[in-house]
């Protein structure tokens, strides 16, 4: 018979008198002393951030909170008119859209950057590494994640600010440099404007902070959860989902070829 | 034909060069200047919090981030082994558990408190109001939300700290007082220890901050989204979901009455 | 220390050579012999349906599969353009809308009907029971679930057909009669056209089939899961979600008061 | 300004008197005449199945309904104790696990089979095609989807039955033959027992039925939605989720290294 392994977790536990989170006494050591961004850092990494880490990490976290009427925001609002008694269902519905296309891509670029520099010497030739990455994607006709944006051209206005905040706090290192090399190489190779977009910048700076690529999408997920609660709040004050639904239904009826 | 109404939202919009969030220039006015808790306040209320509001609101937000191996955390971990390529699905799965039983109840107590004090004079008799609320619930055999906890007795250690932070910042008012009156009345009436629990405290202090009851569950949803990303991160480092699944499956097979 | 209870389930189990579902050998006793509707009946009730039960149950199951461009269908399509690599996320997003407002209401009317007739004699006065239910709802200003429809007037065309199928197979009994009495009483009392709608009919006929009210929403969930896969399939052939999203975003930008 | 395109859908529409689904009058042409499996075929393909197609398709649909206490089933049950008022949330939580690992893989094998045979002559050398596919996966160290099973060895008992039902109805063609060639080649190449598993068989037979690979996961999603409603129904009759949760929480507390 297979030997069962023990189930362990260091996230937290409770006794009647205490609540412990990652080794801290929640009521006495965290409440009123740590903000939500610091708490997110603690949850993911197991330790509280330094002041510099907190400033950088909060900037990354708030970047993706709100980008207007995204498909995710519309989906959350539509579900909120169906299940008004279950706000968690509305937020979850929109959150399910933090996939490969909108906001979820920081995982992919962080994977490329971290894989490329894994075990490489400090003075590795970033230009050559970038060249290889661009050639590999071009050969496979695969888009390079983290660069290019359908709207924000010639630059994504969030990127230089995020890189500036990273630099100020000592987190602008070779992951950022490699991504810049990739973008520059790709622009030349493909003869197109390919700015580093916000998810690219987030993937690079999270790599500087030491986050493994597999968890990077979590930053977008946390941000969007905040934003989607905001959209539900506005939908409660000023409902628009019903209008979007009714217009769509009416247009479909009007355009239907096989009329009843 | 029905007149269509315009679709409006003030959450945010983008042009090629700018990203506006609730009237602020995201890259230049928010990034590096506002933390995630402040951003959540802005998204929900439409304005940035004062320093005092930010301290209180961050405390409320981090309270429900982590409570150890909740059913929500286990569900997120189980889905992460099924759909490892879609972290948003794992987080959403756990988030769907922010319902009436675990963590979602601040909405219910905020509703009771806000409905009870709506239009009431400043010197309204809170004891009488509490009495009526307790009697109404007792008559309907309905549990009173926000008081009592299966584990944390005689008090929930988060509650006095949250009320203390609220008081320090000028947000301990009559919503908190009414909830305290309800708990005291219910303890006497039902002859049981019924401490104000953390969701109750959150519902009361959110009411002090001016949050409508319909949006109060959002604070638990945001907190849990952070916590569930933390659990996925630990699951990636130290997997336990497969063990939980296999033990359960094995026990079900062992206990099955209609063996194959 | 609390005594742990054994974890039991009779849903199914597997050995290397066999797969057992609710006591049946899946490959040899179910595949090719039972259709999806019969399988759903088996899963929920623990036994295969009679031919009559299968006819009635399949009719109930297919009733809510498709109702055109519902908010749920639009939400699923919007998420499919965000997370095209995870179809389960798109279907789940739409499914989250099977709540109190669209399609999920059969649970509520089944609860009312089953509670009202629980322990009542076979010749109980349905008119008086209906009267009491209508008065109770009117007094609480609560809408009566299962009757009335924003579009289908004066009758919901699905209702007489479902009741006919139920009658033909011996499942038109006093739950259906009570719902009819409720609708008639409410129409008189409120002086409005209040046809029994499809979810009402489903709740009543499921009660005739012996389904506990707590599980009745499952019939809508199963039906909508089928329908939402259909919508994703059409979205893959003929995409419209991007258009719905872009129009909404554009209109919000155009109508924004605080222009950048 | 960008030209907006019309929003069209042929799924269904309603008028006060009629409900049309894929061109059929729902109450009069479908209710009582089509079962749930046929309705699923209609929704996805736009036409009703022949008797032979219906037999094959229903067999595929019911194959993945129930596989005992999967991670998906446990997740659904855990969420049902958190949000008992929102069954759709519980089912959606489990459904989110229909990803790459459990039950969602028919999409991947269908993609391989359909891509490999696209435009190929009827007498193409399947052995050579299979060889190329196996070599490609071996070179990339990528597992071949649709073959191999952790439990069901030396064969998955569902596969021969599904292929038999397909054959009986005229749907055992070259997609099935190619998958058999792939499995045989891989077994020889990797010197391991690699039976065609149920999701592989489903992907191959769906390809025979003409389903595009992008929609194949939908069959698993529909099946699991049915099965998860079954698990919720059993959880309501015989609750086990709380026990699973409490044991896990207790073990985590017992094993915690940083005790409070």
């Amino acid at each position: 018979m297979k030997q069962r392994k023990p189930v362990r977790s260091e996230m937290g536990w409770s006794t009647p008198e205490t609540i412990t989170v990652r080794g801290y006494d929640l009521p006495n050591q965290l409440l009123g002393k740590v903000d939500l961004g610091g708490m997110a850092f603690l949850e993911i990494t197991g330790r509280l951030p330094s002041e510099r880490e907190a400033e950088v990490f909060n900037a990354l976290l708030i970047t993706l909170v709100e980008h207007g009427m995204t498909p995710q925001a519309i989906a959350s609002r539509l579900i909120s008119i169906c299940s008004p008694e279950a706000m968690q269902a509305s937020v979850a519905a929109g959150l399910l859209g933090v996939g490969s296309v909108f906001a979820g891509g920081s995982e992919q670029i962080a994977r490329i950057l971290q894989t490329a520099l894994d075990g490489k010497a400090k003075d590795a030739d970033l230009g050559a590494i970038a060249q290889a990455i661009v050639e590999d994607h071009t050969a496979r006709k695969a888009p390079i994640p983290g660069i290019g944006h359908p709207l924000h051209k010639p630059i994504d206005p969030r990127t230089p600010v995020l890189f500036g905040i990273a630099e100020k706090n000592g987190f602008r290192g070779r992951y950022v440099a490699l991504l810049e090399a990739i973008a520059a190489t790709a622009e030349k190779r493909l003869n197109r404007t390919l700015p580093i977009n916000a998810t690219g910048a987030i993937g690079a700076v999270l790599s500087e902070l030491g986050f493994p690529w597999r968890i990077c999408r979590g930053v977008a997920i946390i941000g969007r959860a905040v934003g989607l609660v905001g959209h539900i709040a506005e939908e409660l004050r000023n409902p628009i989902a019903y209008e979007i639904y009714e217009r769509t239904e009416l247009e479909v009826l009007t355009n239907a070829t096989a009329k009843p």
Side-chain angles (χ1 to χ4, degrees), chain A:
Chain A
M1 191 181 163
K2 192 176 164 183
Q3 179 73 32
R4 306 288 12 150
K5 72 168 209 182
V7 170
R8 289 181 194 283
S9 165
E10 306 294 333
M11 300 306 290
W13 49 80
S14 303
T15 65
E17 296 84 24
T18 65
I19 295 166
T20 304
V21 174
R22 310 292 327 235
Y24 290 89
D25 175 330
L26 172 72
N28 298 306
Q29 296 184 296
L30 299 175
L31 289 185
K33 301 183 176 78
V34 176
D35 65 23
L36 184 63
M39 193 74 175
F41 193 96
L42 173 63
E43 280 283 298
I44 297 173
T45 69
R47 63 177 180 82
L48 286 171
S50 69
E51 241 177 84
R52 288 169 161 243
E53 287 168 329
E55 182 173 332
V56 175
F57 192 54
N58 267 298
L60 301 179
L61 283 166
I62 76 166
T63 302
L64 298 178
V65 163
E66 182 59 63
H67 206 260
M69 207 52 75
T70 56
Q72 301 148 355
I74 306 172
S76 273
R77 286 168 179 256
L78 287 165
I79 297 304
S80 80
I81 60 173
C82 300
S83 299
E85 68 282 2
M87 197 206 292
Q88 76 272 30
S90 309
V91 177
L95 217 53
L96 288 171
V98 184
S100 60
V101 180
F102 290 83
S106 52
E107 169 185 307
Q108 296 162 290
I109 187 62
R111 180 183 193 168
I112 290 170
L113 299 176
Q114 293 179 20
T115 307
L117 295 184
D118 183 36
K120 288 286 192 314
K122 291 229 163 154
D123 59 352
D125 181 349
L126 296 184
I129 296 173
Q131 190 77 38
I133 290 168
V134 172
E135 288 308 326
D136 169 57
H137 281 78
T138 309
R140 290 186 291 120
K141 287 179 188 163
I144 302 171
I147 61 175
H149 198 284
L151 175 66
H152 299 303
K153 289 171 188 168
I155 66 155
D156 184 324
R158 298 165 289 191
T159 301
V161 179
L162 289 176
F163 285 169
I165 295 167
E167 184 165 15
K168 186 185 124 196
N169 289 288
F171 289 101
R172 182 171 187 156
R174 57 188 200 150
Y175 292 108
V176 172
L178 177 55
L179 180 54
E180 293 179 312
I182 290 171
T185 307
E187 291 207 332
K188 221 175 292 171
R189 178 73 170 78
L190 301 168
N191 205 21
R192 278 199 290 147
T193 303
L194 288 168
I196 298 175
N197 58 39
T199 55
I202 290 169
V205 179
L206 283 173
S207 301
E208 302 286 351
L209 284 170
F211 280 61
W213 65 264
R214 285 183 194 279
I215 201 64
C216 289
R217 189 177 293 185
V219 166
I221 291 171
I222 290 171
R224 276 293 142 97
V226 170
L228 292 171
V229 171
H231 277 269
I232 304 292
E234 192 191 56
E235 179 72 22
L236 289 170
R237 289 191 305 270
N238 173 34
I240 59 171
Y242 220 91
E243 177 69 24
I244 295 168
Y245 150 55
E246 283 193 329
R247 285 188 198 177
T248 307
E249 193 184 44
L250 184 63
E251 182 169 347
V252 160
L253 179 61
T254 309
N255 290 338
T257 52
K259 288 262 173 55

